[in-house]
Amino acid sequence: MSRIELDSVTKRFPDGTTAVRALDLRVGDGELLVLVGPSGCGKTTALRMIAGLEAVTSGTISIDGVVVNDVEPRHRDIAMVFQSYALYPHLSVYENMAFSLRYRGARKSEIQARVAEAARILELEPYLRRKPRELSGGQRQRVAMGRAIVRQPRAFLMDEPLSNLDAKLRVQMRAEIAQLQRSLGTTTVYVTHDQTEAMTLGTRVAVLSGGVLQQVAPPTELYRRPANLFVAGFIGSPPMNLIDARLERGDGGPLVVFGPHRLRVPPSVLAGHSGLDRYLGEPVVVGIRPEHLADAALAGAPPAGPAGGPAPGGPAAGESVIELPISLREELGSEVHLHATIGAAAHAGAAGDGDDVRSLATIVARADPRSRIAEGTIARLVVDAAELHFFDPATGASIRDG
């Protein structure tokens, strides 16, 4: 086990492309840290620099307090698991797993013991004499992991190890990797573009975009307290709805206004978003997750009033209920995704800038499968206003941290 530290690490390629920019990361002893982000965000480059497969342009990488910038990969005592498995097709499972130990001159008895233990952990004992072509994708990935385990390295580096597997097998292998890492206690840096994989695996998750670290935090904190618009829109499935709006003064406190919709900001949200009062009368980007929008008919909301809005006397004058036209209903069995149109005029006018492409022209509600809301109808949706998020439209930063 070991600690890995990256201090202001930058990677600039000869053509001038900066893949990673001033990256600061601390990976604790025995931690599983996930690097996640879209394709081209720099996560694999960062992993390859830790492994020594890419040179560092500036900054330092340390393992257990020792700077390893100029240390060759084989001397860093780190094992990599690749997306492509990288198995030797002409060797058996046993020989693939034993290869690195033989290369290092380990004794035959030690090799046999380590391979046998790894095979037991990974349930590969029946397959030790088979060639890789005789194995399924999941079994090949286990062999690749076994080859890393037998080395007993200071750290594992895993680069998209599950991306070649089908959806069902990915879920199974994801759980197996999590259990294996916890049982071994080996420091692990894991790269993926799949945010679900990142959230379920990581002790902490580091989100990258354009080579820049956006936020690093435990999964729950990323979900509940995204640092900026990118993290808010990237973490979660479906992602957070981000809407151009305006914060206005109301009789009972601030109101979020977008188009004809007005939502009262609860005191708990005001307390958690320091500096929000500075945006009164100003544009904001408001975020609401799909699971915090519900079918009003199932949520016990009051019936519609004469003007199509909530009936008088409802909770908070019904300001937590909005009405939107449904353009698409997606059946997922355990839930229903309702795609609702905000409306071009309302969307463009909310923040005074119709060209703002960060916000969505539609929002998605994650509804109970019992909901009878159909495509082409006007849905009444209850907004859990206590779960509203606010972002600065100019900087994209969470106003929570303002």
Side-chain angles (χ1 to χ4, degrees):
M1 295 187 289
S2 61
R3 303 182 317 277
I4 301 173
E5 300 181 5
L6 285 73
D7 291 302
S8 298
V9 171
T10 294
K11 175 61 181 180
R12 189 174 299 107
F13 290 105
D15 64 359
T17 301
T18 301
V20 176
R21 188 186 305 272
L23 178 59
D24 290 317
L25 272 181
R26 304 289 182 273
V27 187
D29 193 358
E31 180 180 15
L32 197 166
L33 178 80
V34 178
L35 299 179
V36 66
S39 297
C41 72
K43 55 189 184 295
T44 293
T45 301
L47 195 76
R48 288 174 62 83
M49 285 191 290
I50 296 172
L53 302 177
E54 291 284 357
V56 175
T57 303
S58 63
T60 60
I61 296 176
S62 303
I63 300 177
D64 286 336
V66 177
V67 176
V68 296
N69 287 37
D70 298 323
V71 176
E72 292 185 14
R74 60 179 176 167
H75 294 142
R76 297 191 185 193
D77 195 16
I78 285 176
M80 285 199 71
V81 179
F82 297 94
Q83 173 183 349
S84 61
Y85 315 140
L87 301 177
Y88 297 109
H90 62 291
L91 300 181
S92 67
V93 169
Y94 180 95
E95 291 166 334
N96 266 283
M97 294 171 66
F99 184 85
S100 62
L101 297 179
R102 285 177 174 163
Y103 178 78
R104 287 169 172 76
R107 296 189 307 274
K108 184 176 180 179
S109 59
E110 181 182 3
I111 293 172
Q112 290 175 338
R114 289 198 191 183
V115 172
E117 177 63 11
R120 183 191 64 78
I121 292 171
L122 296 166
E123 299 181 355
L124 288 172
E125 291 167 306
Y127 311 106
L128 289 176
R129 295 189 178 184
R130 295 189 186 182
K131 298 291 198 302
R133 64 177 177 273
E134 302 174 86
L135 304 177
S136 67
Q139 290 165 344
R140 292 179 193 177
Q141 191 55 268
R142 285 193 182 96
V143 176
M145 292 171 59
R147 186 177 53 192
I149 290 171
V150 297
R151 289 182 51 190
Q152 298 178 354
R154 291 196 288 180
F156 294 135
L157 304 181
M158 300 189 180
D159 187 11
E160 303 266 13
L162 306 183
S163 60
N164 285 339
L165 305 180
D166 61 52
K168 181 179 179 180
L169 195 52
R170 275 203 307 272
V171 173
Q172 177 186 335
M173 287 297 299
R174 190 171 70 207
E176 291 182 7
I177 288 176
Q179 293 170 358
L180 178 65
Q181 194 276 335
R182 286 169 176 77
S183 65
L184 295 175
T186 305
T187 305
T188 302
V189 182
Y190 186 106
V191 160
T192 181
H193 66 276
D194 184 333
Q195 55 94 12
T196 301
E197 202 170 287
M199 296 287 279
T200 54
L201 275 175
T203 309
R204 288 185 303 144
V205 178
V207 183
L208 278 74
S209 176
V212 177
L213 180 65
Q214 303 295 311
Q215 186 175 2
V216 57
T220 301
E221 184 175 343
L222 281 182
Y223 177 83
R224 297 197 59 82
R225 297 173 62 90
N228 54 41
L229 283 170
F230 179 83
V231 177
F234 188 80
I235 297 297
S237 182
M240 182 184 290
N241 299 298
L242 300 171
I243 308 164
D244 283 330
R246 183 176 292 275
L247 197 64
E248 295 187 355
R249 195 180 303 275
D251 292 338
L255 299 173
V256 177
V257 179
F258 56 101
H261 312 295
R262 302 166 68 84
L263 303 173
R264 187 175 303 284
V265 182
S268 60
V269 174
L270 290 173
H273 287 74
S274 59
L276 192 59
D277 56 334
R278 300 198 308 269
Y279 289 80
L280 283 170
E282 300 293 331
V284 294
V285 177
V286 63
I288 183 72
R289 293 202 178 275
E291 50 268 41
H292 298 140
L293 292 162
D295 182 345
L298 298 177
E319 288 174 347
S320 63
V321 180
I322 59 177
E323 296 188 350
L324 294 171
I326 301 300
S327 57
L328 176 66
R329 176 186 171 108
E330 292 182 308
E331 300 279 356
L332 279 78
S334 61
E335 61 192 44
V336 172
H337 292 176
L338 301 171
H339 296 248
T341 304
I342 294 177
H347 173 69
D353 183 3
D355 295 327
D356 190 340
V357 297
R358 293 172 310 186
S359 303
L360 305 177
T362 62
I363 64 175
V364 179
R366 186 187 241 165
D368 189 291
R370 297 173 297 166
S371 172
R372 296 184 179 180
I373 295 173
E375 293 180 14
T377 64
I378 302 297
R380 300 183 66 243
L381 302 174
V382 174
V383 181
D384 185 354
E387 298 293 342
L388 292 177
H389 299 258
F390 293 91
F391 303 90
D392 186 300
T395 66
S398 172
I399 297 174
R400 178 189 302 276
D401 302 318

